[in-house]
Amino acid sequence: MTARHTLEAAGLSLGYGDHGVIEGLELTVPDGAITAIVGANACGKSTLLRSMSRLLAPRAGHVLLDGKEVHRMPAKALARTLGLLPQSPIAPEGITVSDLVGRGRNPHQRAFARWSRGDDEAVAAALEATDTLELAELAVDELSGGQRQRVWIAMALAQQTELLLLDEPTTFLDVAHQVEVLDLLVDLNRERGTTILMVLHDLNLAARYADHLVALADGRVHSAGAPDDVLTVDTVRTVFGLESRIIADPTSGRPLMLPIGRHRTTTGETSAADAGAH
């Protein structure tokens, strides 16, 4: 089992230039669980994740890891505990898959220390877990978008941190690989106890795979808790401006959101009773 950690935002305000994005946000990431942040475009999901990983300094408030401000911690020390897969990362030109994944071991390298057997094993395990072992000798810039995304996830896994933050980890992936990646994250959480905080665009995948949902709206936490408590008709209406029905997913038993548009609905689907269900 991994060591236990607390990661929280206290009175956090974030923005870019004169544009404020997050105001006075309070958030505690459940230890040892999978948390998904959801919300409409431009609501601050990625901005929040960037600050939680110390890439963006707060205008006010704090991000605390085990009670210490992450923005005051040495970068390498933080990277041994907390890993980040940002949105649309850029690989050095010509770098091979194995070399890129190996960079996930950098936080564990001491000055002048030699590459160890443990480093080799961590890289090999990460490549195998993400089904990228056969790509190891290829240049990253030769890969498809989906292959490249899996390689970046492999690098994050090779870092072997106890907290892992991922910004849209299923970007560029087809449905089968989306499920594979999320299954992999569940395995990582169950087998290693890794705390995972991720931004997901797909509400239904978030509800299926996360233990804890955080819905953002207008720069604040609209609701947070178990998927059954957060993914409701009211939340979808308020956060996304969309009418919906919520049913039990016949596969997972988790809540499943069915959007209601102006077309392709059966008679009665958009009734007030249906819109207010759940």
Side-chain angles (χ1 to χ4, degrees):
M1 295 293 292
T2 63
R4 302 292 84 189
H5 296 282
T6 59
L7 180 63
E8 57 188 326
L12 191 64
S13 295
L14 305 168
Y16 304 95
D18 295 329
H19 177 60
V21 179
I22 299 286
E23 289 294 336
L25 183 140
E26 303 283 337
L27 175 66
T28 298
V29 178
D31 180 49
I34 298 175
T35 297
I37 303 172
V38 298
N41 290 344
C43 73
K45 302 185 297 295
S46 295
T47 298
L48 173 60
L49 204 72
R50 292 187 69 217
S51 185
M52 298 290 276
S53 61
R54 96 169 222 154
L55 290 182
L56 179 65
R59 291 178 165 185
H62 311 281
V63 176
L64 304 172
L65 174 61
D66 299 331
K68 300 177 181 178
E69 291 191 47
V70 300
H71 294 86
R72 296 179 179 271
M73 294 177 66
K76 201 164 185 178
L78 178 65
R80 286 194 289 268
T81 300
L82 187 151
L84 170 70
L85 176 61
Q87 196 175 73
S88 303
I90 300 174
E93 185 176 354
I95 192 170
T96 66
V97 168
S98 59
D99 286 343
L100 181 64
V101 175
R103 293 194 174 196
R105 302 302 299 159
N106 287 350
H108 302 279
Q109 302 292 317
R110 296 181 180 179
F112 310 111
R114 300 179 63 181
W115 188 265
S116 70
R117 180 179 177 180
D119 294 325
D120 281 329
E121 291 174 348
V123 170
L127 290 169
E128 184 174 359
T130 53
D131 194 25
T132 53
L133 194 56
E134 63 182 18
L135 307 176
E137 301 308 315
L138 297 180
V140 174
D141 50 20
E142 296 176 2
L143 305 180
S144 69
Q147 289 173 325
R148 196 175 296 121
Q149 186 71 356
R150 284 187 284 143
V151 167
W152 282 110
I153 292 171
M155 190 189 78
L157 296 185
Q159 195 172 332
Q160 292 185 327
T161 57
E162 290 147 354
L163 294 97
L164 184 57
L165 279 55
L166 305 105
D167 193 355
E168 295 282 6
T170 56
T171 298
F172 304 122
L173 300 180
D174 59 32
V175 174
H177 281 117
Q178 287 180 40
V179 171
E180 284 183 16
V181 164
L182 293 170
D183 279 342
L184 170 64
L185 295 177
V186 172
D187 290 339
L188 188 67
N189 170 257
R190 290 179 176 177
E191 294 169 8
R192 300 185 189 175
T194 305
T195 298
I196 294 172
L197 175 65
M198 59 183 171
V199 170
L200 279 184
H201 183 74
D202 189 309
L203 266 178
N204 289 328
L205 286 178
R208 175 179 288 195
Y209 282 95
D211 306 302
H212 188 82
L213 289 183
V214 177
L216 295 188
D218 300 323
R220 300 180 183 274
V221 174
H222 170 272
S223 52
D228 279 322
D229 296 327
V230 174
L231 187 50
T232 65
V233 166
D234 176 69
T235 296
V236 175
R237 181 186 298 123
T238 302
V239 173
F240 295 94
L242 177 69
E243 295 300 331
S244 65
R245 291 187 65 189
I246 308 296
I247 64 172
D249 184 332
T251 300
S252 66
R254 296 290 186 91
L256 181 70
M257 189 275 291
L258 304 177
I260 298 175
R262 294 187 298 109
H263 301 293
R264 305 300 188 192
T265 59
T266 60
T267 303
E269 288 277 316
T270 56
S271 69
D274 280 338
H278 194 72

